[in-house]
Structures are given as C-alpha cells and as structure tokens.
Amino acid sequence: MFIEPRRSKAHRGWIEVVCGSMFSGKTEELIRRLKRAKIANQKVEIFKPAIDVRYDEKKVVSHDQNSIMSTPVANSLEILPLINNMEVVGIDEAQFFDEDLPAVCEAIANRGIRVIIAGLDMDYLGKPFGPMSALMSIAEYVTKVHAICMVCGDIASHSYRHHKGDILVMLGEQDVYEPRCRQCFEEGMVKENPTLFPD
Ligand code: ZN
C-alpha cells in the first residue's frame, strides 16, 4: 500500500505512477489517493484523454463504479493552463496521451504540485504503451498493481485481447480483454498467431 511521503513545502512537487494490466485496480488506486488528498483539504484536479468516454464524459470511472469528477482534454499540453492553484493533479488513462505528457508532468511537478498518473503499462501485444515507460522513468514513485490471470489464477501482468484487429486504441470491455500472467498471455499469442511465433 502506498503511503503518502511527508515532504517539506520546498519539496512538495513530485510524480507518482500507478500502472498495470486491465482490471488490476489502477484507477481505484488513483481515486483512493485523490480522495485522501481531498480529505487533507488539498485542491485536486483530474484529467483524462477526451478519447476515453467509456462510461461518463466528466468522471474518472473505474470498473467498480467508484468515481470522481474529471476534466477531459484533447492533448497533454491543454493541461498546463488548467492547473492554477492546484496542489494535486491526477491523470487517468495516461497511456492514451501523446508523447508530450512526460514533459508536461515534469513542468507541473516542478511547480510544486503532486502528480499522480494511472495507466496501462503494456498494450495488447505486451509492448510498452504510449508515454508510460517514459513516465515511469521520471517518476519518484512507481507502483505496479496486478490483476488475477483468468486462465490459471496466478498474478496477472498482461492484458490479453480476444477480439483480433490491429486497432491499438480499443477501450476496455470485459468481454474483449482479460488479464493473464506472462505464460498464459504468451500461450494465447502463439496459439492465435502461429506465424509470428515460429518454434
Ligand atoms: Zn496464467
């Protein structure tokens, strides 16, 4: 469990990343941290890419319906003019943002603002997703959360996609994606794409 660090006023800005597969509880963890900041009377603002409109235009919604209000933005540069007087900035579905997001997050943290980022670390091919690996590199604190493999019940790190097609940005629905461990993910990929994985 992540415990908020006690830091002096002079060192208040930093970056946290919460990442993992589909259904690993990333957004729930982001919401938990943001709600605790609100309890501490801190000014909190949450942003998400306008592309992610799964359930609600204005809320960060997690799979268990625990939600919090957020502001959709078309790209990461739109965040900067919107953070005046904020003490904590949350960013959800960060994997869908553009490559400017790491520099934007650094600029925000350098202003003394705590930045909490949640996102998928890997896409459905098991490759680093969008700006996530760069964000993990520049963050002071990185938390990987894990789901449960729906094939074997072990700890899951990968997001396996049943529906085939090469659209990278397919939003999460339970019937399309399932969390899998490394071995079950790999077995599924080899089974469905035998030509890509010759013996
Ligand atoms: Zn497994």
Side-chain angles (χ1 to χ4, degrees):
M1 173 93 61
F2 182 83
I3 308 284
E4 294 83 353
R6 282 186 166 273
R7 299 179 67 153
S8 68
K9 275 193 175 173
H11 300 97
R12 204 165 250 177
W14 69 81
I15 299 172
E16 298 162 35
V17 170
V18 180
C19 62
S21 68
M22 300 288 300
F23 311 109
S24 60
K26 309 176 292 297
T27 300
E28 288 85 349
E29 176 61 13
L30 172 68
I31 290 171
R32 187 186 73 85
R33 295 184 191 185
L34 293 171
K35 284 189 170 169
R36 286 164 65 83
K38 277 189 173 176
I39 291 168
N41 289 318
Q42 294 178 330
K43 294 199 188 83
V44 173
E45 184 74 49
I46 305 119
F47 300 95
K48 67 175 185 179
I51 190 175
D52 183 30
V53 289
R54 256 181 293 186
Y55 302 106
D56 193 302
E57 288 270 336
K58 287 260 170 61
K59 288 180 183 168
V60 171
V61 180
S62 63
H63 296 289
D64 68 355
Q65 300 301 308
N66 195 1
S67 64
I68 197 164
M69 293 303 291
S70 75
T71 306
V73 289
N75 60 66
S76 60
L77 290 171
E78 280 189 8
I79 297 171
L80 284 174
L82 302 173
I83 55 160
N84 290 331
N85 304 317
M86 288 301 140
E87 292 169 283
V88 182
V89 167
I91 296 171
D92 196 27
E93 301 288 359
Q95 76 278 358
F96 291 143
F97 272 105
D98 49 273
E99 61 189 16
D100 291 326
L101 186 61
V104 167
C105 290
E106 286 204 298
I108 298 170
N110 291 347
R111 285 195 210 172
I113 298 169
R114 177 184 174 196
V115 185
I116 314 172
I117 301 156
L120 281 168
D121 45 9
M122 286 183 276
D123 62 21
Y124 72 102
L125 295 171
K127 302 290 181 231
F129 206 149
M132 289 303 292
S133 43
L135 290 165
M136 289 160 76
S137 300
I138 62 170
E140 275 90 340
Y141 307 101
V142 177
T143 305
K144 274 216 181 200
V145 286
H146 296 91
I148 296 298
C149 176
M150 287 179 67
V151 178
C152 74
D154 209 333
I155 295 295
S157 49
H158 289 63
S159 304
Y160 184 76
R161 192 168 90 186
H162 282 290
H163 177 83
K164 287 302 154 194
D166 47 13
I167 308 164
L168 186 62
V169 181
M170 263 184 81
L171 298 175
E173 296 300 339
Q174 208 142 8
D175 55 345
V176 177
Y177 288 96
E178 66 181 32
R180 288 195 178 189
C181 70
R182 174 181 294 280
Q183 284 69 32
C184 296
F185 176 83
E186 202 57 26
E187 280 169 22
M189 294 293 278
V190 171
K191 209 183 214 174
E192 297 206 28
N193 308 284
T195 52
L196 288 176
F197 301 92
D199 290 332

